[in-house]
Amino acid sequence: MADEAFVAARIGRPHGLRGEVTVQVHTDDPDSRFVVGATFPTDPAARGPLSLRSVRVHQGTYLLGFEGHPDRSAAEALRGTLLLVADEPEDDPGEGWREEDLLGFAVVTPEGTDLGTVSGLHLRPVQDLLEVRTPRGQVLVPFVDELVPEIDEDARRVVVDPPPGLLELGEDGA
């Protein structure tokens, strides 16, 4: 993957018989990125570039169809492919952080107490969420400066300053 590229979406499972696929969206502006005729470099590169022939939203999920992939079997061959965009948008709310940038980073408190590791980044229209794997299970932390005040790329470490009770929510199924 090119250094200047970022992931706009990850292709999921086929939908229907006409070659459409579901996608996990990784961009804050899918309506302007996913337009008929748009072409995306891919990772792995051998599967692309891919040109959009159809775009629609069904029950909140983007369904994309690509030129040269007219049926379910052809669409299945695209599963797991990353759709790339060559330049990062200026107004990215996550300040340019991508899930693949943060996966596996250690998560610590401001005092240095180990909390776990980053296991995901969920991009949401209103608030992005940092997924942290702790010894007691997965927790989601709002990805805002107040709660995630520091990300040290060199040390592969994320500092999380959670309010009391945040890391315990959901651990007992409540």
Side-chain angles (χ1 to χ4, degrees):
M1 182 166 41
D3 290 339
E4 312 82 44
F6 78 99
V7 177
R10 178 184 311 270
I11 295 177
R13 62 180 176 77
H15 180 86
L17 301 174
R18 297 186 192 139
E20 290 180 312
V21 294
T22 61
V23 293
Q24 179 184 25
V25 175
H26 289 278
T27 177
D28 62 341
D29 193 9
D31 292 336
S32 68
R33 296 262 185 228
F34 305 133
V35 294
V36 172
T39 300
F40 296 90
T42 61
D43 184 10
R47 293 185 185 167
L50 294 173
S51 296
L52 281 175
R53 68 170 161 77
S54 67
V55 178
R56 67 185 178 107
V57 178
H58 176 68
Q59 296 181 348
T61 300
Y62 274 83
L63 300 175
L64 307 180
F66 297 98
E67 297 292 338
H69 296 81
D71 58 32
R72 188 174 185 88
S73 294
E76 178 64 41
L78 297 175
R79 188 187 292 242
T81 301
L82 302 178
L83 300 178
L84 307 177
V85 177
D87 60 332
E88 190 121 11
E90 293 290 324
D91 60 348
D92 182 49
E95 297 180 26
W97 293 108
R98 303 173 292 180
E99 182 176 55
E100 55 268 24
D101 293 335
L102 300 173
L103 287 177
F105 276 33
V107 179
V108 300
T109 65
E111 296 77 30
T113 303
D114 182 39
L115 297 174
T117 59
V118 175
S119 56
L121 178 61
H122 303 275
L123 304 178
R124 301 287 193 257
V126 175
Q127 180 59 66
D128 296 341
L129 299 169
L130 187 68
E131 181 178 296
V132 180
R133 180 179 297 124
T134 72
R136 291 186 263 170
Q138 303 287 109
V139 294
L140 297 174
V141 177
F143 197 40
V144 295
D145 290 338
E146 294 80 17
L147 300 180
V148 185
E150 181 184 341
I151 299 174
D152 185 337
E153 287 182 89
D154 295 331
R156 295 186 47 80
R157 183 187 66 170
V158 175
V159 175
V160 172
D161 192 7
L166 177 69
L167 299 180
E168 288 78 33
L169 289 179
E171 289 181 355
D172 61 358

